[in-house]
Amino acid sequence: MRKVFAVIRREFVERVRTRAFVISTILGPVFMGVLIFLPALLAGRSTTARNIIVVDAATGEFGNRVVAALSDTRFGNKGGAQPRFHIERIVALDRAKAVTDSLTTLIGRSRGPQGGPDGFLVLTDSALATGQIDYFGSNVGSIADMSALEGTLRPVVQTERLMREHVDTSVVRRATAKIDLNTSKVTEGKLTGESGTSSFILAYVMTFILYISLLLYGIQVMSSVLEEKTSRIMEILSSSLTPFELMLGKVIGVGSVGLFQLSIWAGASLYLTANLVPILKVFGQSPDSAANISIPAISPALLAVFLGFFLLGFFLYAALYAAVGSMCSTQQDTQQAQQPVMIGIVSGFLCMFPVLNDPNGPLARTLSLIPFVAPFVTPLRYSIAPLPPSQLLLSIASTLAGVIIIVWIASRIYRVGILAYGKRPTIKELWGWIRTA
């Protein structure tokens, strides 16, 4: 066992000391901080208003209502929010084409104390009837500006149409008033204080972290085996350790690096979420801006389930990657041989989407029993609603059984493959290795 610990220590130390590990460990909390605080910082950022000209070629008061609605549009709903548009109206009942042609030459040029116009709207009776209102401007690529314009114009157009049909607009406005669906998560008969958005974010982040970790650290195991095999160091190591001890040391050593990095990231995320208000004050934001940040809570039970299945999934896929590295002699061979392993990881990630729609349905329960996808599915289901103990234990047992079988098969391939050179073995030859190793 002391030899296994020596391999574990070597794999751990060699990877922790690399520049790539240090950079990725630092960038992880930075990326989390950006995701957590960027919405609040953007919400509190002052934005320059756009200069819009309304070319009013429509009859009646339609143009005045559009100007009033656009002038009232603000950045956010809070008091004191800055106006989104500076509006100028030009009446052009019979000369809309001439006015639009002249305004086109002014877009983006300096004009007046607020600069040149960013764009102009053309309002006509035909546009009111068809709903196709023309806008010409330099900011048409701004999704936020176009959404604000469309969202402001829609109710004005609807009201104008109703008024021209002599319909009581106040009655219609009350009947078609916007509704907001407030979602609150209930777990085991208790309100958790989380919204539906927070639950989805938590489930997605957990699944994505597992997906990236299995790919990143599994490939590291494969590369380590291939490097030692091609440099012939494996022949020296195999004289002191059994192949199973060597593979076990590599898998545990690289897995320890993954857990160590995840622990640092988890500690950083806990610190950031626990100090939202002080950090926002550093950036000059008010404590109220913390309301724009939706942070899901992670219970100790969920953390235990996630780490447990992370270890099971890592042992399963790392053993497969070690087998792939042992049976290949070049980097090019591993690119092709690892495809089935990558398909298993990608399949587990893609299972997230049907499981989110029905976490307790027959498909989700079945996937929880398949060792290749259970490390993704079971923590995902548990993050939405804690599973019954019977389902959780059955998922753990089936995944553990699958890990034992896969590790046994991989170890037999590894035992022969580490000393086999030349072309990559065929399926028939692999079966012979498993039978005779």
Side-chain angles (χ1 to χ4, degrees):
M1 201 63 185
R2 187 167 54 188
K3 297 178 180 180
V4 176
F5 281 123
V7 177
I8 294 173
R9 180 180 179 278
R10 176 183 177 276
E11 295 292 334
F12 182 85
V13 172
E14 287 297 322
R15 279 162 177 75
V16 169
R17 293 169 56 185
T18 61
R19 184 179 302 174
F21 177 85
V22 175
I23 294 175
S24 62
T25 303
I26 295 174
L27 290 181
V30 172
F31 182 67
M32 294 177 197
V34 170
L35 291 180
I36 292 175
F37 295 104
L38 186 61
L41 295 177
L42 291 179
R45 183 174 62 93
S46 59
T47 307
T48 304
R50 299 293 190 180
N51 299 322
I52 305 296
I53 296 177
V54 176
V55 180
D56 186 5
T59 58
E61 295 296 316
F62 178 50
N64 289 329
R65 294 189 181 95
V66 169
V67 170
L70 292 176
S71 299
D72 290 338
T73 305
R74 307 282 173 173
F75 287 105
N77 300 319
K78 296 180 180 180
Q82 298 297 316
R84 181 179 281 272
F85 303 113
H86 291 309
I87 304 300
E88 179 182 347
R89 175 171 173 254
I90 298 178
V91 179
L93 290 176
D94 300 323
R95 53 191 182 93
K97 181 65 169 62
V99 172
T100 55
D101 289 342
S102 62
L103 286 177
T104 302
T105 62
L106 298 177
I107 298 299
R109 295 187 177 183
S110 177
R111 177 175 176 266
Q114 296 176 340
D118 294 292
F120 59 92
L121 280 170
V122 181
L123 305 179
T124 62
D125 290 330
S126 61
L128 178 63
T130 61
Q132 301 293 325
I133 299 178
D134 292 327
Y135 176 79
F136 304 87
S138 59
N139 60 329
V140 293
S142 172
I143 297 176
D145 285 349
M146 297 305 101
S147 298
L149 278 173
E150 186 176 348
T152 303
L153 290 172
R154 185 182 296 110
V156 179
V157 171
Q158 293 172 349
T159 301
E160 185 67 21
R161 288 171 176 172
L162 293 172
M163 292 179 65
R164 294 193 179 193
E165 295 294 334
H166 306 290
V167 178
D168 189 346
T169 58
S170 61
V171 175
V172 177
R173 191 179 299 111
R174 288 195 299 269
T176 59
K178 179 185 176 182
I179 64 169
D180 293 317
L181 185 64
N182 295 320
T183 58
S184 298
K185 183 178 178 181
V186 178
T187 301
E188 296 181 338
K190 298 180 181 179
L191 284 171
T192 63
E194 299 178 30
S195 64
T197 303
S198 298
S199 299
F200 173 79
I201 292 175
L202 176 61
Y204 185 86
V205 169
M206 290 177 56
T207 308
F208 186 75
I209 288 176
L210 181 60
Y211 169 74
I212 293 298
S213 299
L214 291 180
L215 280 180
L216 177 63
Y217 295 111
I219 291 177
Q220 287 188 19
V221 172
M222 180 185 68
S223 300
S224 175
V225 173
L226 178 64
E227 180 183 357
E228 292 178 352
K229 178 181 176 179
T230 54
S231 63
R232 303 283 179 162
I233 297 177
M234 190 68 72
E235 298 176 3
I236 301 175
L237 294 175
S238 61
S239 63
S240 302
L241 297 92
T242 65
F244 180 78
E245 290 176 336
L246 190 56
M247 189 184 78
L248 183 64
K250 286 186 173 295
V251 170
I252 295 179
V254 178
S256 300
V257 176
L259 283 178
F260 179 62
Q261 192 172 57
L262 287 177
S263 300
I264 295 175
W265 290 350
S269 64
L270 290 175
Y271 175 81
L272 291 174
T273 54
N275 296 273
L276 283 177
V277 175
I279 295 176
L280 287 173
K281 287 183 178 179
V282 172
F283 291 98
Q285 301 298 316
S286 65
D288 296 336
S289 58
N292 297 316
I293 303 175
S294 178
I295 301 176
I298 302 179
S299 65
L302 174 59
L303 184 61
V305 170
F306 174 73
L307 291 179
F309 275 92
F310 171 83
L311 289 175
L312 291 174
F314 179 81
F315 276 115
L316 190 150
Y317 283 105
L320 290 175
Y321 271 115
V324 170
S326 67
M327 67 185 188
C328 296
S329 299
T330 64
Q331 193 69 36
Q332 290 74 15
D333 288 341
T334 61
Q335 299 301 321
Q336 297 178 354
Q338 69 173 321
Q339 294 302 321
V341 185
M342 293 185 64
I343 289 174
I345 298 176
V346 173
S347 299
F349 180 77
L350 294 179
C351 286
M352 173 184 70
F353 301 102
V355 171
L356 281 174
N357 292 329
D358 190 6
N360 294 315
L363 178 61
R365 292 197 299 268
T366 302
L367 293 175
S368 299
L369 302 179
I370 301 177
F372 292 100
V373 297
F376 294 90
V377 174
T378 304
L380 176 62
R381 294 180 61 198
Y382 201 94
S383 68
I384 300 173
L387 302 180
S390 58
Q391 292 189 27
L392 181 60
L393 292 176
L394 188 59
S395 179
I396 294 174
S398 62
T399 307
L400 183 59
V403 170
I404 293 174
I405 295 173
I406 294 300
V407 169
W408 180 79
I409 294 174
S411 64
R412 297 177 77 84
I413 296 175
Y414 183 88
R415 183 178 302 174
V416 178
I418 55 175
L419 299 177
Y421 299 91
K423 71 178 186 68
R424 195 171 73 247
T426 63
I427 299 296
K428 183 178 180 180
E429 291 172 337
L430 283 178
W431 175 244
W433 290 4
I434 296 173
R435 290 176 51 197
T436 59

